[in-house]
């Protein structure tokens, strides 16, 4: 993976992440490099200030385009602004008032962009244990009783972020997409204090039941897919909800406890993790994470399962993918991008084309 900041992996990774999303409207290459040039490696305040400045600048351009009735330009510009605000919010701590404010600006910009699309997504609210899981339904236009993928993000992603890539890659393959902020994610966490949970099959089943009752989709052709920490969520969901036709794991997590076992308490996302699991310190967080394991569970998955993982993943070691694959007893596929190749970083952000075989496979499974 290319390191813009040679001495700071996390800052470099986040820049590569948004550059990958730029292919799908989530940024402009030179705007991203300009933002990066203002950042001091390791200085999280400069990270926030630079991306927020870029977001504000681009948002003003979007608003001006709207006032001048240039809706196509406004649509594209709101999308970029939304993703820049997501970047600005990323490393802010949960108790920083700017976190939710910046998140709100990003969501508002994203929804304005969606209103300007030819086929706007349906905003959804799924009742769940006295609260709601919110998200978006991107339907393939004109399709009746077609296939569907239900998708969750990871530890730090939001429903809006999953627009930049998964939406286009699935809709182009004739598959509708239901993107959700599950427990511990996006709006569910920030606005409703809904913490994450190890039994992610429970919200996944709620999403499945809601989908077949409220969407024009084929109940026999519904797949589950998730990315990063979501690799655990998707696997857990498929293990207990056997109605899923296929399971796509975009970066496998066999044991989230093991992922964090060797990370220092000072890790940039430690306090975010504590907030997501609802504890005060990393000692308690690690205790919670002991339940986030697929050992003894992965073998319960019955549907065909595809794992795509980077051989040079510095956040979730490739051994996690191999361990998951080895325990699977269903029809299974393992795609490891070699360490020396682009696309071998976490979630293939350094070359998103390396995840295309997973989407091709999902198309075959749900056809």
């Amino acid at each position: 993976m290319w390191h813009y900041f040679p001495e700071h992996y996390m800052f470099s990774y986040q820049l590569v992440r948004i550059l990958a999303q730029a292919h799908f409207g989530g940024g402009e290459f030179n705007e991203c490099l300009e933002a990066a040039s203002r950042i001091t490696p390791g200085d999280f305040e400069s990270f926030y200030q630079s991306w927020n400045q870029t977001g504000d600048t681009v948002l003003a351009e979007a608003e001006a385009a709207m006032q001048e009735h240039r809706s196509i330009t406004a649509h594209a510009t709101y999308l970029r602004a939304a993703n820049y605000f997501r970047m600005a919010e990323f490393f802010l701590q949960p108790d920083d008032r700017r976190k939710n404010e910046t998140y709100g600006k990003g969501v508002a910009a994203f929804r304005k962009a969606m209103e300007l699309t030819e086929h706007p997504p349906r905003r959804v609210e799924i009742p769940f244990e006295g609260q709601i899981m919110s998200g978006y339904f991107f339907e393939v236009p004109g399709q009746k009783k077609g296939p569907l993928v239900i998708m969750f993000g990871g530890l730090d992603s939001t429903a809006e972020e999953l627009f930049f890539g998964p939406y286009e890659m699935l809709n182009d393959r004739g598959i509708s997409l239901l993107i959700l902020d599950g427990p511990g994610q996006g709006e569910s966490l920030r606005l409703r204090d809904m913490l994450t949970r190890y039994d992610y099959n429970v919200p996944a089943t709620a999403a499945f039941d809601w989908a077949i009752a409220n969407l024009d989709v084929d109940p026999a052709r519904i797949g589950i897919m998730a990315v990063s920490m979501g690799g655990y969520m998707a696997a857990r969901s498929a293990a207990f909800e056997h109605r899923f036709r296929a399971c796509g794991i975009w970066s496998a997590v066999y044991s989230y406890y093991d992922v964090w076992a060797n990370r220092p308490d000072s890790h940039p996302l430690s306090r975010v993790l504590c907030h997501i699991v609802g504890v005060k310190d990393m000692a308690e967080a690690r205790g919670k994470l002991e339940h986030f394991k697929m050992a003894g569970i992965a073998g319960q998955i019955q549907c065909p399962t595809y794992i795509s993982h980077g051989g040079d993943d510095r956040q979730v070691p490739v051994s996690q993918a191999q361990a998951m694959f080895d325990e699977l007893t269903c029809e299974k596929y393992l795609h490891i991008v070699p360490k020396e190749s682009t696309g071998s970083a976490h979630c293939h952000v350094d070359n998103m084309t390396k995840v295309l075989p997973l989407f091709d496979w999902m198309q075959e499974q749900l056809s």
Side-chain angles (χ1 to χ4, degrees), residues 1 250 308-313 335-355:
M1 186 189 82
W250 188 347
S308 191
H309 205 98
D312 195 31
D313 192 327
H335 176 220
I336 303 295
V337 177
K339 186 174 183 178
E340 61 274 10
S341 171
T342 59
S344 62
H346 184 56
C347 300
H348 314 305
V349 298
D350 55 326
N351 185 345
M352 287 275 279
T353 66
K354 296 302 174 74
V355 78

Side-chain angles (χ1 to χ4, degrees), residues 126 146-150 200-214 217-225 234-247 300-305 362 365-366:
I126 299 176
L148 172 72
V149 161
I150 296 173
Y200 231 81
N201 51 289
V202 178
T205 289
F208 192 106
D209 288 340
W210 184 90
I212 62 176
N214 294 276
V217 297
D218 184 349
R221 292 191 291 161
I222 298 179
I224 181 76
M225 181 186 290
R236 171 87 193 197
S237 299
F240 289 90
E241 178 49 78
H242 295 155
R243 290 176 295 175
F244 282 119
R245 174 80 168 267
C247 175
Q300 299 178 44
I301 298 176
Q302 297 179 4
C303 64
T305 298
M362 186 64 76
Q365 296 300 314
L366 301 185

Side-chain angles (χ1 to χ4, degrees), residues 93-307:
Q93 298 303 321
D95 57 356
D96 190 325
R97 63 171 179 77
R98 298 174 300 178
K99 189 170 185 69
N100 278 10
E101 290 175 2
T102 309
Y103 166 77
K105 288 198 297 184
V107 171
F110 179 82
R111 291 177 177 172
K112 286 181 178 180
M114 293 300 98
E115 291 171 0
L116 297 171
T117 63
E118 184 177 358
H119 302 287
R122 171 179 169 183
R123 287 174 55 187
V124 305
E125 294 186 343
I126 299 176
F128 181 68
E129 296 186 347
Q131 299 194 71
I132 60 171
M133 292 187 294
S134 56
Y136 306 89
F137 174 53
F138 292 90
E139 184 177 23
V140 175
Q143 193 174 75
K144 302 296 182 183
K145 295 298 178 183
L148 172 72
V149 161
I150 296 173
M151 190 166 189
F152 295 102
L155 173 71
D156 50 48
S157 55
T158 64
E160 290 75 22
E161 182 185 7
L162 296 178
F163 169 86
F164 301 109
Y167 146 69
E168 184 175 314
M169 290 189 283
L170 286 168
N171 270 203
D172 282 352
R173 289 166 172 77
I175 302 171
S176 295
L177 174 63
L178 177 60
I179 303 174
L180 295 173
D181 278 328
Q185 300 174 330
E187 193 170 289
S188 293
L189 178 72
R190 291 162 177 79
L191 303 188
R192 303 186 187 94
D193 297 317
M194 191 187 300
L195 304 178
T196 194
R197 52 197 295 163
Y198 73 90
D199 56 343
Y200 231 81
N201 51 289
V202 178
T205 289
F208 192 106
D209 288 340
W210 184 90
I212 62 176
N214 294 276
L215 304 178
D216 187 15
V217 297
D218 184 349
R221 292 191 291 161
I222 298 179
I224 181 76
M225 181 186 290
V227 61
S228 192
M229 180 191 176
Y232 165 82
M233 299 168 184
R236 171 87 193 197
S237 299
F240 289 90
E241 178 49 78
H242 295 155
R243 290 176 295 175
F244 282 119
R245 174 80 168 267
C247 175
I249 299 175
W250 188 347
S251 184
V253 176
Y254 184 69
S255 167
Y256 206 50
Y257 173 84
D258 288 347
V259 168
W260 278 90
N262 297 317
R263 290 180 177 177
D265 289 1
S266 59
H267 189 279
L269 297 179
S270 291
R271 287 181 61 193
V272 173
L273 174 68
C274 289
H275 180 56
I276 286 171
V277 299
V279 298
K280 295 180 180 179
D281 56 45
M282 282 303 298
E284 289 184 87
R286 289 190 174 92
K288 289 274 191 178
L289 293 184
E290 289 182 358
H291 300 288
F292 287 71
K293 297 180 179 180
M294 288 301 296
I297 296 174
Q300 299 178 44
I301 298 176
Q302 297 179 4
C303 64
T305 298
Y306 190 112
I307 300 171

